[in-house]
Amino acid sequence: MSEPEAKRVKMSNPVIGTHNGHFHADEALAVFLLRLLPQYRNASLIRTRDPEVLKTCTIVVDVGGVHDDNILRYDHHQREFNANFPGKNTKLSSAGLVWMHYGHRIINAVTGISEKDADCELLYQKIYEDFVEAFDANDNGISAYDPSAIRQAGIEKKFNDKGFSIASVVNRYNYAPSAREGADGPTANGTTTSGAPAPKKEKSQDEEDARFLRASAFVGEQFSLEIEDRAQSWLPARGVVKQAFAERQQWDPQGRIIVIPYKPEGVPWSDHLYALEAEKGCEGQVLYALFAENGEPNSKWRIRAVSLEPGSFENRKGLPEQWRGVRDEELSKVSGVPGCVFVHASGFIGGNVTFEGALDMAKKAVDM
């Protein structure tokens, strides 16, 4: 795009600027996040490294060598850059910069929750920690664990997980043939939702932009699912789990069993349980959570071992070894509890036809 053309675009509607060439997950997410805000919902996109063209953009992310919220410039590649999200140590990428400066406004635009509401701040922190921070770490080459410490400990990976990392998923849009077509949203040079040109030895700017927009739409969909789940399910569950946590000693004097009431929208309980235990200084106390399969009076019930930490496949106390992989009458005989349905072979979950039966399973399991 020529400079006069870019100036005309700026005069007519907002323009988001980022760099052209090989793209990464952080700017793909940053652009999507900006377009959730009313003022940028219909913004055009310019992908260039030309400083003169970037000057014509309303807002610029991941290029330009400047981080200055006052002039809407959000790059993180300059030598002196060392910004972090409040309370975190991970260096920010363009995704984190946009979230840090605009996260409250994005939450309000997507969910309707007031920026001044305590729930908005809770979501702002939670979504950064559980979603956006991984983009920042990935783009800045920060591993979840210290690689040198892992090597010194002699720990080897059991399988290759790089095929579905943040970087690998977005990188496919850079080169995969099927990624040429389809993208959501306009670019300043006319690329829309279809019709990227046929591949040549070198990609045209139109094709490259279309690929970028598909990548942005992909990571954006994951973000949309995340914020929707957090706002509509996770946030309301906080009060439900808090009440259940307060009542835990009626099921076990030592508070090792928690009963989660059924809600049609679901009750994602584990995050809240860890937080409540930390608040009360009793980390690791709850070993099993009970919950109904549905809201019917005759619903079957599940018993779930609490994980060591969020996302872990290890449990604080798995269901008894002799119950694992056993079902129905045989399981009832082995456990001494009527109505047993199953216990998973790994011992992380089991089931009973009644609440009383599931509770009996939990009461026996805590002391075995």
Side-chain angles (χ1 to χ4, degrees):
M1 173 181 289
S2 68
E3 186 175 347
E5 288 174 325
K7 287 181 178 178
R8 285 197 296 272
V9 170
K10 186 178 182 182
M11 289 174 63
S12 60
N13 62 283
V15 180
I16 300 171
T18 190
H19 63 82
N20 61 345
H22 193 93
F23 51 80
H24 303 96
D26 69 312
E27 72 264 25
L29 180 60
V31 169
F32 182 89
L33 291 175
L34 287 174
R35 283 179 160 169
L36 293 175
L37 295 167
Q39 63 267 44
Y40 298 119
R41 190 159 293 150
N42 299 310
S44 298
L45 175 68
I46 292 178
R47 298 182 66 249
T48 181
R49 295 183 184 275
D50 186 331
E52 295 305 311
V53 177
L54 289 172
K55 286 179 182 179
T56 70
C57 296
T58 313
I59 187 168
V60 176
V61 296
D62 210 48
V63 69
V66 176
H67 169 217
D68 188 340
D69 186 44
N70 293 318
I71 58 173
L72 308 182
R73 295 302 186 257
Y74 304 99
D75 194 14
H76 67 108
H77 295 100
Q78 54 273 29
R79 184 181 182 88
E80 67 275 13
F81 182 87
N82 59 4
N84 308 100
F85 190 82
K88 297 292 183 180
N89 296 317
T90 303
K91 186 178 177 181
L92 294 175
S93 68
S94 61
L97 279 172
V98 169
W99 186 253
M100 182 173 72
H101 290 291
Y102 296 97
H104 293 95
R105 278 177 267 181
I106 291 169
I107 291 168
N108 172 254
V110 174
T111 70
I113 297 173
S114 169
E115 294 178 44
K116 297 180 180 180
D117 195 306
D119 284 347
C120 185
E121 178 63 22
L122 191 62
L123 287 175
Y124 176 70
Q125 298 287 341
K126 185 65 176 174
I127 291 172
Y128 179 77
E129 181 176 317
D130 284 5
F131 191 89
V132 180
E133 187 173 13
F135 285 76
D136 290 343
N138 172 263
D139 198 69
N140 285 294
I142 301 170
S143 299
Y145 297 95
D146 182 354
S148 62
I150 291 176
R151 286 194 298 272
Q152 290 175 11
I155 299 173
E156 296 183 0
K157 295 176 72 171
K158 292 185 177 180
F159 65 93
N160 185 354
D161 61 350
K162 69 179 182 180
F164 207 74
S165 65
I166 295 171
S168 66
V169 168
V170 171
N171 190 45
R172 287 190 184 99
Y173 289 97
N174 277 291
Y175 65 84
S178 61
R180 294 194 309 273
E181 297 183 3
D184 291 328
T187 62
N189 59 12
T191 300
T192 55
T193 57
S194 64
K200 301 176 182 178
K201 290 184 178 180
E202 293 185 2
K203 295 189 294 290
S204 70
Q205 189 63 55
D206 278 352
E207 181 188 339
E208 188 181 284
D209 287 352
R211 288 170 176 271
F212 174 82
L213 288 172
R214 287 199 69 190
S216 183
F218 175 81
V219 295
E221 181 181 23
Q222 306 312 305
F223 173 83
S224 295
L225 292 170
E226 176 77 7
I227 193 170
E228 177 183 301
D229 177 66
R230 292 301 181 191
Q232 297 181 16
S233 182
W234 180 84
L235 196 58
R238 188 166 178 256
V240 176
V241 179
K242 186 175 183 180
Q243 182 66 29
F245 184 76
E247 297 172 349
R248 69 194 184 284
Q249 289 175 323
Q250 77 177 83
W251 313 115
D252 174 71
Q254 297 180 47
R256 296 170 293 179
I257 300 169
I258 189 171
V259 177
I260 308 296
Y262 176 81
K263 298 290 182 183
E265 66 275 17
V267 183
W269 51 269
S270 59
D271 276 355
H272 300 300
L273 174 61
Y274 299 129
L276 289 164
E277 285 183 331
E279 287 176 16
K280 300 297 182 181
C282 58
E283 292 95 328
Q285 183 184 80
V286 179
L287 302 180
Y288 300 111
L290 307 184
F291 53 92
E293 290 187 5
N294 57 61
E296 300 299 321
N298 61 346
S299 172
K300 295 177 182 179
W301 279 73
R302 296 287 182 96
I303 172 175
R304 174 70 160 85
V306 178
S307 301
L308 278 177
E309 57 187 21
S312 172
F313 289 112
E314 292 186 86
N315 303 309
R316 291 174 175 177
K317 185 178 179 66
L319 291 167
E321 180 70 33
Q322 58 268 41
W323 298 3
R324 300 179 188 182
V326 185
R327 298 188 62 89
D328 304 323
E329 291 183 9
E330 184 181 355
L331 178 57
S332 290
K333 183 177 179 181
V334 171
S335 66
V337 179
C340 289
V341 178
F342 78 101
V343 168
H344 192 275
S346 66
F348 84 99
I349 197 168
N352 197 285
V353 295
T354 67
F355 165 72
E356 290 76 16
L359 181 59
D360 283 345
M361 292 174 73
K363 286 180 175 180
K364 291 198 172 192
V366 292
D367 292 319
M368 290 181 69

